[in-house]
Amino acid sequence: MNLTITVPTEQAIPIAVYLFTMMVLGILGNGTVLYSSIRYNALKFDKVSVALVRNLAIADLCSSCANFIPFVTFAARKWVFGRWLCNSPVRSISIKLCISVNVMIVILIAVHRLRCVLHPFHSPSTKAANIIIGLIWSVAVIGWGIYDISTYSASEELLFVPEIGYCIKKKLHAIVFVVQVFNAMVTLLILVLNLALLVVALRFSRRRGGDNRHSHHKAVLTISLVSGIFIISYCIPCIVISAVPSTLLPMSLMWSVNTVANPIVYTLTNKRFGRYVRSLLRGVFCIGGEEAIEGRI
């Protein structure tokens, strides 16, 4: 099996730099979201939204770490991790797990916000939300785990995709591709429909009046940006790849954008989190430490 990528060196090095940058930014950004929301309660959302955002950050953090393998592959211009890692159920499960959980959490965030707008005086149960989140992770881990372990074979024929430096089981390649495209199309329809309903619901809430209109508008702006970025960086690339296979490399590079963009969205749309990030940056370059950060939030 030829394990050398087909991308020319003058293109492979910039791609490796891009993947490394996205990996570092994704780890720092999503790590900041998790630490700040736990240590300082820096996310000004309701408790259910905070739980969803934290789990989305965990999935994005794992996806960012997964960029290490294609980064090394493009930097070396060949697969250097051996047959075991290419065929490893652990690696296969972790990649599909991150994608599956990411998709479901984004949908849950959008649906939860719509529910808050439609029923502003009904507080959702945090316990029920945590149970649903736990079920999502459990089903993803168990489902993909059972499938990958049951189909594992040390002598199985492997497929190396030279355009993107990706190694996968040959018989699993088509299945994963079909599942990805199906997920992208279904997610796209759900998010677009949900955003349309949110706009309609906000108009009705504006007519009714109420004290929560401003907070609803800011929350809807946040989820609109998160959903829009997810559609642009994941849903559309998956559909484009299925229609035009020659776009595999540029479209697959778009997937990393989603893991980096969410912390930036929170910084711009959530004042409390934005203050924490600015205080954190001052703490990194100036004197003050955590006491200064706590005083500014």
Side-chain angles (χ1 to χ4, degrees), residues 172-214:
L172 189 61
H173 178 64
I175 296 173
V176 171
F177 181 72
V178 171
V179 170
Q180 247 183 349
V181 173
F182 178 78
N183 278 344
M185 295 182 70
V186 172
T187 306
L188 176 62
L189 291 173
I190 292 175
L191 291 179
V192 170
L193 178 61
N194 190 86
L195 288 175
L197 292 174
L198 269 175
V199 171
V200 174
L202 275 178
R203 288 192 175 183
F204 278 104
S205 68
R206 189 180 303 170
R207 292 177 183 177
R208 292 196 306 263
D211 299 330
N212 294 325
R213 284 182 299 167
H214 181 65

Side-chain angles (χ1 to χ4, degrees), residues 63 94-104 180 183 234:
S63 297
S94 62
I95 293 173
K96 296 191 291 292
L97 171 66
C98 294
I99 295 173
S100 301
V101 172
N102 200 306
V103 168
M104 292 305 300
Q180 247 183 349
N183 278 344
Y234 177 76

Side-chain angles (χ1 to χ4, degrees), residues 134-155:
L135 285 174
I136 289 174
W137 283 98
S138 300
V139 170
V141 171
I142 295 172
W144 284 116
I146 291 175
Y147 178 81
D148 269 41
I149 294 173
S150 64
T151 58
Y152 174 76
S153 172
S155 59

Side-chain angles (χ1 to χ4, degrees), residues 50-61:
V50 170
L52 292 171
V53 167
R54 285 176 182 171
N55 281 270
L56 181 61
I58 293 172
D60 285 341
L61 185 62

